Amino acid sequence: MPSRRSLLALAALPAAARAQTARWVPDRPVRVVVPFAPGGTTDVVARVLAEGAAAALGQSVVVENRPGGAAGLVGMDAVAKAAPDGQTILVHSNAHVIAPALVARLPFDPIGDFAGIAHLGRIPQVLVVNPTSGITDLAGLLAKLQAEPGKHHFASAGIGSAVHVAGEVFRAASGTDIQPVHYRGGGPAMQAVVTGDAIFVVDPIPSALGIIRGGAVRPLAIAGPQRVGSLPEVPTAAEAGLPEFRHEAWLVALAPARTPPAALAALQAAFAAAQQQAAARLAELSVQPVPEVATPAQVMEFLQAEMRRGVTLLRAAGVQPE
C-alpha cells in the first residue's frame, strides 16, 4: 500500500501530472492487429508475446489478422483510426515504413498517426528453395538464374514486406533477371516455394524454421552478418559468396497517435515483461533483442531512420508509388 506521504504528494501534483503518474490498466481485452495473414513472422511473434503481455496487463490480449493492401495497409489504417485509448495496438514489420514508397496517397501518416510502444526484435532472414529443385547451395541458385534469365520469380509476402525487400536486395546484389510475385502474407509466400510455384523466398527465420525442419524447403543462406543458433549449419550469404546480400527484418508495437503516455508506458512495460518471459522461445526463433531502442520515443526515432533507408532502397529497385 502507498504511504500517506506518497498519497499527499500525488494529490499535490497538477491534474495532468497525476494522470501521467497513475498506472493505466486496460478495462477490456487489448486488440493486437497484425496486418498480414496468419503464419507469417509478424503473426508468430505477436502470438508468442501476447500471453506474457496479457499476464502483465491483467487483461486478455487478442491477436487479430487484418491482411490486405500494400505493406499491410488495411491493418495499419484500422489502427491509425482507432480510438487512442491503449486498447488497440499494431504489431508491424519493416513494411510499416515502406508504405510511402508504394502508395502515392496514404490515408494516414505512418509516423505522425502512430505512437511508439516497443521494439520487439531484430530477425535474420533465410533464403530457401524447394528441395526437389536440384539446387543445393547459393552458387547453384545463382548459376540457374543466370542461365535462365527472366524465367523464374521469387515469392513475396506483399509489396513492401520484409520478404519482398529482401528479395529485391538479392536481385540487386546478384544482378539476376528475376521478378517478384506478391502473395497475401508470409505463409502463402512460403507455400509457393513448397509447391514449386516460386524458385525461392527470403523469409524471416521464425516463420521459416518449422518448414525447414520438416524438410519441405531447403535453406541456402542467412541474409545477415552471422550464422544463427537455430540453423547453425546454414552459411551466411557472405560465406556463400554473395556478401552484398544482407537484410534483416524487425518488428515493433505501435498505438494510435495521442494515446495517453500512461497507457504507452504500461504497454511498453507489458511487452518488456513478455519478451523476458518468452526469451527462450524468442531465441529459438532467432528473434534478437534491440536494447538500444527501449522507449516509445526511441521507437519513433528508429522508424524515421528506417523509413529513409527503406524508401531509398525500393526507389533504387525501380518501385514507384501507385
Side-chain angles (χ1 to χ4, degrees):
M1 293 288 292
S3 67
R4 181 172 182 273
R5 179 178 295 179
S6 64
L7 289 173
L8 288 173
L10 179 60
L13 291 172
R18 290 202 304 272
Q20 291 194 21
T21 304
R23 183 178 183 274
W24 175 84
V25 178
D27 60 9
R28 59 188 185 279
V30 174
R31 183 171 62 123
V32 174
V33 175
V34 172
F36 301 118
T41 294
T42 308
D43 181 66
V44 170
V45 175
R47 292 179 187 278
V48 167
L49 294 175
E51 183 177 352
L57 291 168
Q59 183 61 267
S60 299
V61 175
V62 181
V63 177
E64 176 185 327
N65 296 93
R66 293 286 299 273
L73 193 68
V74 171
M76 294 168 71
D77 190 50
V79 175
K81 294 174 180 172
D85 55 8
Q87 299 287 161
T88 302
I89 297 170
L90 179 72
V91 171
H92 208 353
S93 66
N94 310 55
H96 186 87
V97 296
I98 296 299
L102 308 175
V103 181
R105 295 184 178 180
L106 287 169
F108 54 83
D109 181 338
I111 300 295
D113 286 340
F114 292 88
I117 295 174
H119 197 303
L120 304 181
R122 180 185 295 116
I123 307 166
Q125 292 182 264
V126 59
L127 187 151
V128 302
V129 298
N130 188 301
T132 65
S133 65
I135 301 169
T136 59
D137 54 26
L138 194 61
L141 174 63
L142 291 170
K144 188 175 184 66
L145 295 177
Q146 289 163 355
E148 300 172 342
K151 181 178 179 180
H152 302 283
H153 62 264
F154 67 88
S156 159
I159 298 176
S161 66
V163 176
H164 174 213
V165 173
E168 295 290 358
V169 173
F170 174 87
R171 177 167 66 165
S174 64
T176 51
D177 181 6
I178 185 168
Q179 298 296 321
V181 170
H182 302 291
Y183 296 88
R184 291 174 61 85
M190 179 63 75
Q191 188 61 27
V193 175
V194 173
T195 60
D197 291 330
I199 193 168
F200 74 80
V201 66
V202 189
D203 202 42
I205 288 176
S207 54
L209 197 55
I211 299 170
I212 291 171
R213 290 175 173 170
V217 295
R218 174 181 291 142
L220 300 186
I222 303 296
Q226 60 192 30
R227 295 195 184 201
V228 297
S230 54
L231 295 170
E233 73 287 355
V234 181
T236 66
E239 291 174 323
L242 193 62
E244 299 84 2
F245 176 42
R246 181 169 171 174
H247 187 264
E248 292 182 297
W250 46 259
L251 296 175
V252 294
L254 304 171
R258 298 175 298 282
T259 296
L264 295 177
L267 291 167
Q268 189 277 332
F271 275 100
Q275 287 173 288
Q276 183 174 4
Q277 176 185 314
R281 174 61 175 152
L282 293 174
E284 179 185 335
L285 294 169
S286 298
V287 178
Q288 303 165 350
V290 185
E292 65 271 22
V293 185
T295 68
Q298 288 172 331
V299 170
M300 299 312 294
E301 292 170 3
F302 171 81
L303 290 184
Q304 289 174 326
E306 286 292 296
M307 177 178 287
R308 289 191 293 270
R309 190 180 70 85
V311 170
T312 299
L313 180 75
L314 284 186
R315 289 285 184 269
V319 176
Q320 296 296 324
E322 298 178 355

